[in-house]
Amino acid sequence: MRIGVPKEIKTLEFRVGLTPGAVESLTARGHEVFVETNAGAGVGLTDEAYQAAGATVLATADEVFAAAEMIVKVKEPQAVEVARLKPHHILFTYLHLAADKAQAIGLMKSGCTAIAYETVTDSAGRLPLLAPMSQVAGRMAVDVGANALLRPSGGRGLLLGGVPGVPAAKVAILGGGVSGQNAAEMAVGHRADVTIFDVSAARLAQLDAQFGGRVKTAFATRDAVSAAVYDADLVLGCVLVAGAAAPKLVTRADLSKMRKGSVLVDVSIDQGGCFETSRATTHADPIYEVDGIVHYCVANMPGAAPYTSTFALGASTIPYVRALADKGVDAAFADDAGLAAGLNVRDGKITYRAVAQALDL
């Protein structure tokens, strides 16, 4: 198969879809790989390294798309990239379509086969291609939230871990999945006062055992979440419904009951965000304020740590890339129902129910 790796073009996005090591594993199996020049520059991966791995380096994204059957990316295709897609293309990347109707319609019109990292499942029903970036985003959420709490960023001027004689910040984590768990690990490390909310009693029991009493856990009823948000200094939105739009857990009215200078970090923003007042921001302009509450809603948080993120993601994606390249889409899907669950668009139609429902398509 002919596989293309274009340079990512989302604002301040430095990750790359395949590393030279991944390329070598593909070319060794007889596949051709075409990489746009400087695609890996953001993580220190040179064109020469890709060429040594057997790739052909091309000067433009137009050439990469024209040469390739399968496009392997990190972030959802931007409008100019969607315009390059043809019916013969297989697109393998994060899509997050439930929050992006324009992209969904563009992919439908292209006729391509679009497979989303975030809805691929493993044999246990987990999301193996979402997990590594959820780990990065969860850990980053505490760092960016701690910075946003400082006065120069518009926050209360509160140190997350406090000091002797001054209490630590209160952190409410909404969602106890992979990103929520990783956020809790970092927040506990900062000596913050941490409470995790989830709708699964079994998951809360797991977290309670893992943290050995160092965090509080609570069932996520509306009343309990609201009370915690009003009392929190930092709220981390880490909820996930696979493929679907995130539920809105904090309303505009809730903000008036929070302390001015408190911070909301919306890790769920790729799926539309779990705060009513969330809107996607970029690393170039990450923070805004609504009713005195600081919001951080960057839609590609792991892109700020591209080295860590590229290698963590690549280790998870390459077995699936090899399967698609070796077998073709239909045979790969027949052999792996979890990979088939990644299919979001084919032959001009939405093929993932939660996306279709979210977008009314």
Side-chain angles (χ1 to χ4, degrees), residues 106-181:
L107 293 178
M108 292 165 70
K109 288 180 177 178
S110 78
C112 79
T113 296
I115 306 167
Y117 291 162
E118 71 272 11
T119 63
V120 171
T121 61
D122 64 15
S123 58
R126 296 169 300 200
L127 304 171
L129 305 188
L130 189 61
M133 295 304 92
S134 295
Q135 292 167 347
V136 173
R139 295 183 179 204
M140 280 186 61
V142 175
D143 289 337
V144 299
N147 183 70
L149 274 172
L150 301 179
R151 194 64 191 145
S153 298
R156 294 185 61 209
L158 183 65
L159 187 65
L160 191 64
V163 294
V166 182
K170 292 184 177 181
V171 179
I173 301 175
L174 309 183
V178 175
S179 59
Q181 173 189 320

Side-chain angles (χ1 to χ4, degrees), residues 73-128:
K73 284 176 40 63
V74 178
K75 286 308 293 175
E76 70 279 358
Q78 305 302 290
V80 66
E81 295 173 308
V82 172
R84 296 187 180 110
L85 291 167
K86 307 297 181 187
H88 72 275
H89 278 130
I90 304 161
L91 174 65
F92 195 32
T93 189
Y94 288 117
L95 293 176
H96 299 294
L97 292 180
D100 193 347
K101 191 168 188 175
Q103 184 203 166
I105 291 173
L107 293 178
M108 292 165 70
K109 288 180 177 178
S110 78
C112 79
T113 296
I115 306 167
Y117 291 162
E118 71 272 11
T119 63
V120 171
T121 61
D122 64 15
S123 58
R126 296 169 300 200
L127 304 171

Side-chain angles (χ1 to χ4, degrees), residues 30 187 196 246 341-342 349:
I196 307 176
K349 298 179 178 63

Side-chain angles (χ1 to χ4, degrees), residues 111-333:
C112 79
T113 296
I115 306 167
Y117 291 162
E118 71 272 11
T119 63
V120 171
T121 61
D122 64 15
S123 58
R126 296 169 300 200
L127 304 171
L129 305 188
L130 189 61
M133 295 304 92
S134 295
Q135 292 167 347
V136 173
R139 295 183 179 204
M140 280 186 61
V142 175
D143 289 337
V144 299
N147 183 70
L149 274 172
L150 301 179
R151 194 64 191 145
S153 298
R156 294 185 61 209
L158 183 65
L159 187 65
L160 191 64
V163 294
V166 182
K170 292 184 177 181
V171 179
I173 301 175
L174 309 183
V178 175
S179 59
Q181 173 189 320
N182 278 266
E185 290 174 356
M186 295 296 287
V188 167
H190 277 277
R191 300 186 178 185
D193 179 351
V194 183
T195 304
I196 307 176
F197 292 82
D198 202 274
V199 294
S200 168
R203 181 58 180 159
L204 293 175
Q206 291 174 342
L207 292 166
D208 181 68
Q210 174 185 340
F211 287 101
R214 292 174 296 159
V215 304
K216 297 186 268 304
T217 59
F219 193 74
T221 65
R222 169 63 186 164
D223 288 347
V225 169
S226 296
V229 167
Y230 302 156
D231 192 41
D233 302 296
L234 172 61
V235 181
L236 307 179
C238 299
V239 298
L240 173 68
V241 180
K248 305 301 183 188
L249 302 183
V250 177
T251 68
R252 176 74 180 262
D254 289 329
L255 302 191
S256 65
K257 299 178 183 179
M258 297 176 65
R259 286 187 286 270
K260 301 303 180 186
S262 296
V263 174
L264 300 178
V265 176
D266 200 337
V267 181
S268 304
I269 191 65
D270 276 332
Q271 294 293 124
C274 62
F275 308 137
E276 188 178 40
T277 46
S278 290
R279 57 176 173 81
T281 60
T282 68
H283 289 296
D285 188 15
I287 288 174
Y288 62 94
E289 185 180 303
V290 178
D291 297 342
I293 306 303
V294 178
H295 291 58
Y296 179 101
C297 303
V298 173
N300 61 328
M301 287 177 65
Y307 186 93
T308 299
S309 299
T310 291
F311 282 90
L313 180 61
S316 298
T317 57
I318 189 59
Y320 295 98
V321 174
R322 285 198 297 257
L324 289 164
D326 289 349
K327 303 173 184 178
V329 170
D330 292 330
F333 284 173

